[in-house]
Amino acid sequence: MNSLRKNAEIFTQYTNKELRYPSDKYGTEHFKKAMAEINTLNYRLPLPLLLLITDKRPALLEKITLRLKNFLFRYVTIGGFKISSADQVIKNSMEALNASKSDEEIISAITHTDVEDERFIERFKAASFSDNSTAKYILCKIEENKETSIGKIINLPQVNLEHILPVDASKWNFLKGDSELNDRFLIERYTYSIGNMTILEQSINKKIKNDIFTKKIGYFEKSSLLVTKSIHENYQNSSVVDWTAEQIDKRTNEFAMLAKTIWPL
């Protein structure tokens, strides 16, 4: 009975949907921070592994949860694989634990060739983020990991996702002429590229709506978010006069390299 009660308490803790990103309220509790991100991304929790770890090697819980979060982000969110196909990876880690393998072997069992850095970076670059909540989470994580933003907490409900080239691009007259983005397929592809997205304070975002780039750029300067302010800085320090496929690709590539370190394996 005591064992059942203990497992019930652990189950309740692990499935607590109030654990959501951003996770500043969890302080140094890295396990809860990881769980908050796992919940935010709506991953089905590998509860059998977490319960086994808690029972047999509780000191490993924090590291294993961080590993799971990063693995699932690479494999499911960016790789596009169904979460059910990760079951064998979870079983491999459980088998290592049951065989009394080392901590390192248990953790390293959570991997797959499809999440290695090179494939992850290429898939991140090619990914289309039509789900606004996922794109906003990624951009907030990138903002948090900017060198001068370390320790900054993004209040997720108070920032909006901004498509620089908007979904409704009817005001963007240059798209109607001889442009690298005048093909409907290319417009859709680039609209949902992470390099075409940024986060903005709600008070600023509601003012710009679907305006053209040269009007938006002044509002980007007013943002306190570095991931957004940097768009204006790059505009000021270069010969860029409009928002093009080249600019979107460049920013996407920069984010892909950051992602490798933000979600490491």
Side-chain angles (χ1 to χ4, degrees), residues 23-30 33:
S23 45
D24 56 296
K25 60 186 175 183
Y26 310 125
T28 58
E29 295 180 273
H30 297 294
K33 286 185 177 184

Side-chain angles (χ1 to χ4, degrees), residues 38-263:
I38 287 173
N39 284 340
T40 298
L41 291 167
N42 297 315
Y43 297 142
R44 188 189 72 208
L45 292 177
L47 285 171
L49 173 59
L50 294 178
L51 290 169
L52 194 62
I53 287 284
T54 303
D55 182 48
K56 293 195 170 187
R57 214 171 298 190
L60 192 57
L61 184 61
E62 180 181 305
K63 289 182 178 180
I64 207 80
T65 310
L66 288 169
R67 178 79 172 195
L68 283 167
K69 179 208 45 161
N70 293 341
F71 169 76
L72 291 171
F73 178 80
R74 288 186 174 216
Y75 189 71
V76 179
T77 301
I78 303 302
F81 296 98
K82 292 183 178 180
I83 197 164
S84 58
S85 65
D87 286 349
Q88 186 56 52
V89 173
I90 304 303
K91 289 177 182 176
N92 292 342
S93 185
M94 293 178 68
E95 288 171 3
L97 178 59
N98 283 325
S100 300
K101 298 280 184 75
S102 68
D103 288 358
E104 183 178 348
E105 289 173 301
I106 295 167
I107 293 171
S108 62
I110 301 174
T111 191
H112 194 281
T113 55
D114 281 302
V115 299
E116 292 173 356
D117 282 349
E118 185 175 351
R119 291 191 184 184
F120 171 64
I121 290 169
E122 289 307 310
R123 284 189 170 128
F124 189 94
K125 290 178 183 179
S128 178
F129 296 97
S130 56
D131 178 19
N132 286 358
S133 60
T134 300
K136 189 159 76 165
Y137 160 77
I138 291 170
L139 289 164
C140 285
K141 290 291 292 181
I142 290 172
E143 173 71 16
E144 285 182 4
N145 283 272
K146 288 280 186 180
E147 187 175 347
T148 53
S149 292
I150 301 300
K152 178 191 284 188
I153 300 301
I154 310 300
N155 192 332
L156 206 62
Q158 293 184 8
V159 296
N160 285 352
L161 182 71
E162 162 68 14
H163 294 78
I164 302 167
L165 170 64
V167 176
D168 176 8
S170 56
K171 292 184 180 180
W172 288 51
N173 290 328
F174 84 96
L175 295 176
K176 299 173 184 177
D178 184 18
S179 167
E180 60 190 328
L181 285 178
N182 63 5
D183 179 272
R184 181 175 295 178
F185 172 78
L186 283 177
I187 290 174
E188 182 172 333
R189 171 191 160 196
Y190 278 101
T191 298
Y192 294 105
S193 168
I194 197 68
N196 182 55
M197 301 178 188
T198 196
I199 43 175
L200 266 175
E201 296 86 345
Q202 290 179 354
S203 59
I204 298 175
N205 187 241
K206 66 182 181 182
K207 296 176 182 178
I208 64 177
K209 298 183 179 178
N210 296 324
D211 266 336
I212 59 174
F213 179 69
T214 50
K215 288 188 177 181
K216 287 186 176 187
I217 199 70
Y219 289 103
F220 292 165
E221 182 185 18
K222 298 175 183 178
S223 177
S224 64
L225 301 165
L226 297 181
V227 75
T228 300
K229 189 180 284 290
S230 63
I231 302 170
H232 176 270
E233 291 172 355
N234 291 338
Y235 176 78
Q236 292 289 91
N237 298 327
S238 71
S239 58
V240 175
V241 295
D242 226 324
W243 191 243
T244 65
E246 181 182 358
Q247 299 302 316
I248 296 170
D249 282 337
K250 180 180 178 182
R251 196 160 174 263
T252 298
N253 292 343
E254 291 172 357
F255 287 168
M257 297 311 295
L258 285 171
K260 180 181 69 172
T261 61
I262 296 171
W263 294 277

